[in-house]
Amino acid sequence: MLFSIITPTAGNRPNALQNAVASVERAARFAGLESNQLEILVGFDGTRGAAPDCAYPVRTFSLPNDHNRGRGVRDTLLKLSGGDKIVFLDDDNVLKPCSLSRYLRHLDAEMVIGRIDAQLTLGQPWLPVCDDGPLVRPGNLDLLCLCLSRSLVVDRCGGWQYRTAPDSCHRNMAEWHRRARSVTVIEEVVGIFDAGRSLDRAALSSRQAALLDGLAVERGASPVRPAVRRMPSLALA
């Protein structure tokens, strides 16, 4: 087993989830992976949900309600994973078709950092920004940028740590970066952040809803939209 794809979901984004899983299938086919070389682990946070359609194995788990932006779900899925490499994919993001083939070129690296298309959310071309500042700093890196060795994340770092910290994602990424025995940074874009945000209109996160309100105001339109059930974002948590 080469890759384990870790996907937490609140269960309220079935269309976005299917879109995310379909992107994994495209990337796996592009990389020429066999069905026994990749698994997708979907953790439903406090609910039951159906497994998305996929030609590759999808393992679904109905887990106790975590109420913690998917952090406990990620920890559980990490410990259930069997792949040598870990890729985090939230249910409203997608992988680029070239992503897994890029990672295959760097199997010797414990941490691979690629670019993600962030213009749908941040108004800038991509993350991370490579400048004079630290690469691993708050707001400059997302889980979607990473391909990680399971031995690093699970065996040496104990899975998902800092579950109660508001900057949990950043602290985990900083810990993995600090303890990784080898880090490779690539220029290729490996994912698209927020690609599925418009596929389930009743499940915008508060961050996504605020973004759309801001865009509406900029364009001179009313920010008032149909009633939306705003769910905590599982990304940038």
Side-chain angles (χ1 to χ4, degrees):
M1 181 72 67
L2 287 177
F3 294 102
S4 290
I5 313 297
I6 303 297
T7 301
T9 180
N12 61 334
R13 295 171 175 165
N15 297 323
L17 176 61
Q18 180 62 62
N19 191 50
V21 169
S23 77
V24 177
E25 181 174 339
R26 287 192 296 271
R29 291 188 182 279
F30 188 87
L33 297 179
E34 302 292 337
S35 61
N36 63 346
Q37 292 180 302
L38 178 141
E39 64 176 359
I40 304 169
L41 286 77
V42 178
F44 289 94
D45 189 357
T47 187
R48 292 184 179 275
D53 294 331
C54 187
Y56 290 82
V58 179
R59 302 167 61 193
T60 60
F61 303 89
S62 298
L63 303 174
N65 202 324
D66 183 54
H67 291 300
N68 207 9
R69 299 195 173 194
R71 298 165 187 171
V73 175
R74 290 191 187 106
D75 187 52
T76 298
L77 296 182
L78 281 170
K79 292 171 180 175
L80 292 170
S81 64
D84 292 337
K85 299 294 181 179
I86 299 294
V87 175
F88 290 99
L89 179 67
D90 286 351
D91 61 1
D92 51 355
N93 297 334
V94 297
L95 296 182
K96 294 282 282 183
C98 66
S99 58
L100 299 180
S101 64
R102 301 300 187 195
Y103 295 148
L104 285 173
R105 299 180 183 180
H106 305 284
L107 290 178
D108 57 332
E110 285 204 320
M111 185 178 199
V112 180
I113 301 174
R115 287 175 169 172
I116 60 170
D117 184 335
Q119 59 188 329
L120 289 174
T121 299
L122 304 179
Q124 64 185 60
W126 53 69
L127 289 178
V129 175
C130 296
D131 52 21
D132 294 334
L135 182 65
V136 184
R137 64 180 187 263
N140 195 48
L141 202 63
D142 185 77
L143 292 172
L144 185 59
C145 300
L146 307 179
C147 177
L148 301 147
S149 166
R150 187 182 187 279
S151 63
L152 166 66
V153 175
V154 178
D155 298 337
R156 296 210 307 277
C157 294
W160 191 272
Q161 302 295 314
Y162 313 110
R163 284 168 57 174
T164 60
D167 58 347
S168 175
C169 277
H170 168 68
R171 293 179 69 174
N172 274 286
M173 290 188 290
E175 180 74 2
W176 300 333
H177 186 260
R178 183 182 69 82
R179 298 189 63 179
R181 293 168 181 161
S182 55
V183 178
T184 297
V185 180
I186 61 177
E187 294 186 356
E188 291 85 2
V189 177
V190 296
I192 303 176
F193 189 73
D194 257 9
R197 73 179 184 199
S198 63
L199 298 180
D200 300 276
R201 291 290 294 173
L204 291 173
S205 71
S206 57
R207 174 183 55 77
Q208 292 166 342
L211 174 68
L212 294 179
D213 283 348
L215 291 174
V217 170
E218 288 178 6
R219 295 169 182 172
S222 171
V224 178
R225 289 168 284 105
V228 171
R229 182 187 176 196
R230 299 186 176 184
M231 300 297 293
S233 174
L234 297 181
L236 293 175

